[in-house]
Amino acid sequence: MATKTEVAAAARALFADQGYVATTIAAIAEAADIPAQTIYSAFGNKAAILRSIAWEVAGTLDIDRAHEEALAQPDPRDGLRRAANIQRRQFEQMYDVIDVYQEAARTDPDIAHDLQTIAANRERAFRRHIDAIASHLAPGVSVDDGVAIYLTLVLPEVYRTLVIEHRWTTDSYENWLANALITQLLRSP
Amino acid sequence: MATKTEVAAAARALFADQGYVATTIAAIAEAADIPAQTIYSAFGNKAAILRSIAWEVAGTLDIDRAHEEALAQPDPRDGLRRAANIQRRQFEQMYDVIDVYQEAARTDPDIAHDLQTIAANRERAFRRHIDAIASHLAPGVSVDDGVAIYLTLVLPEVYRTLVIEHRWTTDSYENWLANALITQLLRSP
């Protein structure tokens, strides 16, 4: 319903601007011009608003299918380039939400639990990809090493450092990430 | 004095274990078996205890001199290997303190200010290094790009992912970091 969309949009802006902990339902109500009681009825609590924002954005990205397509590429370099593109799209669309999730997880056990589930799903997807290209890994890089390196290069803090703090374009980030994944994971051609 | 050392040791263990926000002076007093009033007299507040821990550990590392020696290496690869060793020693000695600082910065403006100063000093040291090896940078990598890549690879979250979460040895971390810095920053020899 339109109200939920308006509340989510107002909450997302406030979370990104002032942080999750500092944002009250009252402030969201004021920003969205919707009574706080309506927000409580529609969502229940602040954590539920954040979850609803995350699900909404993540749903538009179709990440699982993109990962399957990436690992199915005949050339493992093409697969890692696609993997870099997945991360770029994900961070472009929802870096702010990921950042707020990490903040909220420090104080909200439900959000912390969500984040563990999301991290486990991410790691599983990366491991499937590394398993699929295991015969192409660089000498000395085991599947476990490959997963750890993959997880490292796609950290939100890496995106933050390059794109948010150092104003790289998301194109440059994607190219850097693709090259870093290829150089660090694969045998030289 | 011995009391300050005991308080710092007790506080460091509690911060690492339960987090900064959740650790009270009363809990530190109990763990150190020293009256809370003595702790208030010696330090003032919780932020001052954390600062004192950080200064104590950082003082033993002599980071500034190590950076000067690194950037003065005739072979830029050796310089980056030394840079990787600096980060390894720093994280080995005080990853827990860095992590607590980042948590504390979210709620304590003085600690947040400290962290900004530390980040600025780090970036300045890295920039001096990249400036010193500017003629060896890979094609397409500007000094600014080099600083951003350096900052990215030495993120505490990278250390956390590889060493804390994936149980790499600090030797493996140092080798990985040295190779990543060399491959991403320098022209191929």
Side-chain angles (χ1 to χ4, degrees):
Chain A
M1 75 199 192
T3 310
K4 274 198 136 176
T5 310
E6 283 159 34
V7 170
R12 184 173 178 174
L14 284 169
F15 289 156
D17 206 45
Q18 311 182 354
Y20 176 81
V21 174
T23 300
T24 59
I25 298 266
I28 297 168
E30 202 187 312
D33 199 16
I34 285 166
Q37 195 46 57
T38 309
I39 298 183
Y40 282 111
S41 309
F43 289 96
N45 61 23
K46 197 164 68 169
I49 302 177
L50 177 54
R51 280 175 157 165
S52 144
I53 295 167
W55 278 100
E56 182 72 29
V57 189
T60 66
L61 286 167
D62 207 359
I63 295 297
D64 290 345
R65 205 174 55 134
H67 275 302
E68 290 304 313
E69 285 174 8
L71 68 83
Q73 294 298 307
D75 183 334
R77 287 182 299 269
D78 288 338
L80 292 174
R81 282 187 199 105
R82 288 206 181 208
N85 179 260
I86 295 172
Q87 297 303 318
R88 175 250 183 94
R89 288 193 298 121
Q90 211 162 19
F91 287 129
E92 257 177 355
Q93 294 301 313
M94 60 185 301
Y95 173 77
D96 65 320
V97 178
I98 294 166
D99 192 42
V100 171
Y101 245 81
Q102 290 187 321
E103 183 208 342
R106 290 184 178 257
T107 49
D108 186 312
D110 290 341
I111 297 288
H113 182 260
D114 272 15
L115 211 52
Q116 280 181 338
T117 308
I118 292 165
N121 287 340
R122 261 169 85 83
E123 179 158 347
R124 199 171 308 119
F126 300 161
R127 186 172 292 275
R128 274 176 60 78
H129 194 151
I130 299 293
D131 272 333
I133 60 174
S135 65
H136 302 277
L137 291 178
V141 175
S142 67
V143 167
D144 280 346
D145 292 342
V147 172
I149 291 168
Y150 192 141
L151 278 163
T152 296
L153 294 172
V154 301
L155 280 167
E157 290 81 4
V158 166
Y159 181 84
R160 187 193 66 214
T161 302
L162 297 175
V163 177
I164 314 273
E165 294 175 0
H166 289 265
R167 314 240 160 243
W168 283 24
T169 62
T170 48
D171 254 0
S172 298
Y173 166 76
E174 181 181 340
N175 283 331
W176 172 85
L177 178 57
N179 286 328
L181 286 168
I182 290 168
T183 318
Q184 297 206 10
L185 295 176
L186 301 182
R187 241 194 339 264
S188 313
Chain B
M1 74 199 191
T3 310
K4 274 199 137 177
T5 311
E6 284 159 34
V7 170
R12 184 173 177 175
L14 283 170
F15 289 157
D17 206 44
Q18 310 183 356
Y20 176 81
V21 173
T23 301
T24 59
I25 299 267
I28 297 169
E30 204 187 311
D33 199 16
I34 286 165
Q37 195 46 57
T38 309
I39 298 182
Y40 282 112
S41 308
F43 288 96
N45 60 24
K46 196 164 69 168
I49 303 176
L50 178 54
R51 279 178 158 163
S52 145
I53 296 167
W55 277 100
E56 182 73 27
V57 190
T60 66
L61 286 168
D62 207 0
I63 295 297
D64 289 345
R65 206 176 52 136
H67 275 303
E68 289 306 312
E69 284 175 8
L71 68 83
Q73 295 297 307
D75 182 334
R77 285 181 300 269
D78 288 338
L80 292 174
R81 282 187 200 106
R82 287 204 182 210
N85 179 260
I86 295 172
Q87 296 304 317
R88 173 250 185 94
R89 288 193 298 120
Q90 213 163 17
F91 287 129
E92 258 177 354
Q93 294 301 313
M94 59 187 302
Y95 173 77
D96 64 319
V97 178
I98 294 165
D99 191 41
V100 171
Y101 244 81
Q102 290 187 320
E103 184 207 342
R106 289 183 179 257
T107 48
D108 186 312
D110 290 341
I111 297 287
H113 182 260
D114 272 14
L115 211 53
Q116 281 181 338
T117 308
I118 292 165
N121 287 341
R122 261 170 85 83
E123 178 156 349
R124 199 171 308 117
F126 300 161
R127 186 172 291 277
R128 274 177 59 79
H129 194 151
I130 300 292
D131 272 333
I133 60 174
S135 65
H136 303 278
L137 292 177
V141 175
S142 67
V143 167
D144 281 345
D145 292 341
V147 172
I149 291 168
Y150 193 141
L151 279 163
T152 295
L153 294 172
V154 302
L155 281 167
E157 288 82 4
V158 166
Y159 180 85
R160 187 193 67 213
T161 302
L162 297 176
V163 177
I164 315 272
E165 294 175 0
H166 289 266
R167 312 242 161 244
W168 282 24
T169 63
T170 49
D171 254 1
S172 299
Y173 166 75
E174 181 181 340
N175 283 331
W176 172 84
L177 179 57
N179 286 329
L181 286 167
I182 290 168
T183 317
Q184 297 206 10
L185 295 176
L186 302 182
R187 239 193 342 262
S188 312

